[in-house]
Amino acid sequence: MMFSRAPGFAAGLTAAVSLIALQTSPALAFDPSGNEIADAFLTLLDSEEGTVESYGSVDASGNTVTISDLLITNEDEKDAKVTIASTVLTGGDIQANGRLKLENLTLEKLELAAEDGGMTLETVSVSALVLPSADEAKSKDTPIGPGYESFEASSIQIRDEDGKVADIEKVSSSIDSMDGDLPTSGQFSITGAMIDVKQIEAEEARSLTDLGYETLSIDVSGSGKWDPDAATVEVPGLNINAKDAASLTISFSLGGVTRDVVTGLNEASDNSEETMALLQNITIANAKVRLDDESLTGRILDQEAQKAGVEVPVYVSQLTGALPVMLGVLQNKELEAQVNEAVTEFLTTPGSLEIAASPAAPVPVAQIMGTVMFAPQMIPQILSVGITANQ
């Protein structure tokens, strides 16, 4: 929803993106402009929580419609409002099913203000956008979100009531291929997210401050491909890079992801039991998690060694000396040796640490869940888990 109050900068981004996919109410608060494309778009913005309070003008030139000075308010939160200096709708077409199709949507100087902070975006651009019809947007049984080819937002500033939380250079995503109404491949990135650690109200943030971080510069990217005929999903890399701290890369391959499973997961998004039942049809072919240290591990070891009143080499020796006892729960001598060697090397000379699951055959999620419940120590063997350091 437009005025979601969920915490954190991710919630702010969600609020911005959802600006183009709101529920509609039967009675319109705004005066229709007479331009069918502009009015169809304004109708979607005019929701129960958000109301199109006013707009400056609607100008049409060729296949381009420009709405100036949009103001959207919320009657339940008097201090909450969204202003958009310019909204440009290009190549608009109202389809037979009532959906609004746009070649491009561009928003300039968007500002979301609320009692607990706000967010500004310099520009938002969405290509090949298809917005749901009014009836689809109102439906709670089969919610339909907007479809698009590419999305980009730039120069994002996120604030809370105490000041700056984060600045983000750019957020972008694309849907590269489709199977009917279902995306089959895509990618996304968040570039240049500068987070003020002191403004994050969480225990983790205080820990980061203690480690010497006043700000964190983070880049996030990822891509994925779903082959509905082969029922496979490939995620070659979900990358999170915190500069001067560490980077994390996650990749995996899944099987059993049929069209029915994907459709079912979409329809059961609010039903955890149905979701879990559908997930049990999926198999894990392989998975990998890699951590590359840039200084975070050294900072943690320095801090913990100081608390223990010893030098870092002594503290590391104490940790690694206790590993054999802790690893006994694995009940797998070969893996115990791998973990002991890799963790000892990583703590002694922080570089990289990689955990990989490479089973000989795909393992059903149902089998994994059952093993976790009744024999968790067998998980590394079932998934053929291995671990390496500094490679």
Side-chain angles (χ1 to χ4, degrees):
M1 290 301 171
M2 173 89 59
F3 298 104
S4 170
R5 298 173 67 88
F9 73 90
L13 292 177
T14 301
V17 175
S18 65
L19 178 65
I20 59 176
L22 299 172
Q23 293 180 321
T24 57
S25 56
L28 301 179
F30 64 91
D31 294 326
S33 69
N35 182 290
E36 64 174 359
I37 300 301
D39 290 342
F41 181 76
L42 292 171
T43 298
L44 285 171
L45 292 182
D46 197 81
S47 69
E48 294 177 0
E49 287 79 12
T51 300
V52 175
E53 191 75 26
S54 64
Y55 57 87
S57 63
V58 172
D59 300 307
S61 177
N63 70 342
T64 300
V65 177
T66 302
I67 306 171
S68 67
D69 300 324
L70 255 175
L71 171 61
I72 304 166
T73 61
N74 186 330
E75 62 181 16
D76 295 328
E77 299 179 38
K78 63 179 181 179
D79 294 324
K81 65 178 181 178
V82 172
T83 58
I84 308 171
S86 175
T87 302
V88 181
L89 315 170
T90 304
D93 177 50
I94 300 175
Q95 301 180 308
N97 57 12
R99 297 176 183 177
L100 175 59
K101 183 177 182 179
L102 299 170
E103 292 178 7
N104 201 80
L105 167 68
T106 302
L107 311 176
E108 296 182 356
K109 298 188 182 305
L110 182 152
E111 181 175 356
L112 187 153
E115 184 180 356
D116 56 356
M119 174 179 62
T120 62
L121 300 91
E122 188 66 25
T123 61
V124 176
S125 180
V126 190
S127 69
L129 175 65
V130 179
L131 291 167
S133 68
D135 289 340
E136 289 172 335
K138 286 186 291 184
S139 174
K140 295 182 179 179
D141 296 328
T142 55
I144 298 176
Y148 65 95
E149 283 187 1
S150 66
F151 169 90
E152 183 174 303
S154 62
S155 300
I156 303 162
Q157 297 181 337
I158 301 169
R159 304 290 183 265
D160 64 14
E161 60 268 31
D162 297 321
K164 182 171 69 173
V165 174
D167 290 335
I168 302 173
E169 291 179 8
K170 185 170 69 174
V171 175
S172 64
S173 66
S174 67
I175 297 174
D176 301 326
S177 59
M178 300 282 292
D179 179 67
D181 289 334
L182 298 173
T184 57
S185 68
Q187 53 192 310
F188 77 96
S189 66
I190 301 173
T191 306
M194 187 66 70
I195 300 172
D196 188 339
V197 174
K198 296 188 296 298
Q199 291 296 106
I200 303 174
E201 295 182 1
E203 185 63 37
E204 291 79 3
R206 287 190 286 274
S207 298
L208 288 169
T209 302
D210 292 341
L211 291 171
Y213 293 105
E214 295 184 358
T215 61
L216 278 180
S217 178
I218 299 176
D219 294 333
V220 182
S221 63
S223 63
K225 182 177 182 179
W226 169 48
D227 185 334
D229 294 324
T232 58
V233 169
E234 300 285 341
V235 176
L238 170 61
N239 310 296
I240 305 172
N241 180 23
K243 295 179 181 177
D244 197 30
S247 61
L248 182 69
T249 302
I250 301 171
S251 61
F252 56 87
S253 299
L254 306 177
V257 189
T258 64
R259 291 181 177 87
D260 287 343
V261 168
V262 172
T263 301
L265 287 172
N266 286 334
E267 294 176 351
S269 58
D270 295 328
N271 189 319
S272 58
E273 290 185 4
E274 286 187 28
T275 298
M276 290 303 297
L278 288 164
L279 288 175
Q280 294 194 44
N281 296 313
I282 296 174
T283 61
I284 295 178
N286 59 70
K288 184 183 296 182
V289 179
R290 180 183 175 92
L291 175 72
D292 286 280
D293 182 74
E294 292 186 17
S295 76
L296 180 60
T297 303
R299 291 173 187 243
I300 293 173
L301 290 175
D302 284 342
Q303 184 184 72
E304 295 303 314
Q306 287 182 16
K307 291 179 181 178
V310 298
E311 297 295 324
V312 171
V314 174
Y315 182 73
V316 170
S317 178
Q318 292 173 350
L319 285 178
T320 57
L323 279 174
V325 176
M326 292 187 290
L327 295 173
V329 297
L330 295 175
Q331 298 181 20
N332 184 326
K333 293 300 181 182
E334 182 179 351
L335 181 58
E336 288 174 28
Q338 280 189 38
V339 175
N340 185 67
E341 180 181 352
V343 172
T344 299
E345 182 176 348
F346 178 75
L347 292 178
T348 304
T349 310
S352 66
L353 194 64
E354 183 173 288
I355 302 173
S358 307
V363 181
V365 169
Q367 181 183 354
I368 295 173
M369 292 175 63
T371 305
V372 168
M373 291 176 64
F374 298 108
Q377 73 278 3
M378 296 298 295
I379 288 294
Q381 291 173 266
I382 290 173
L383 294 174
S384 297
V385 173
I387 182 170
T388 56
N390 300 344
Q391 293 185 11

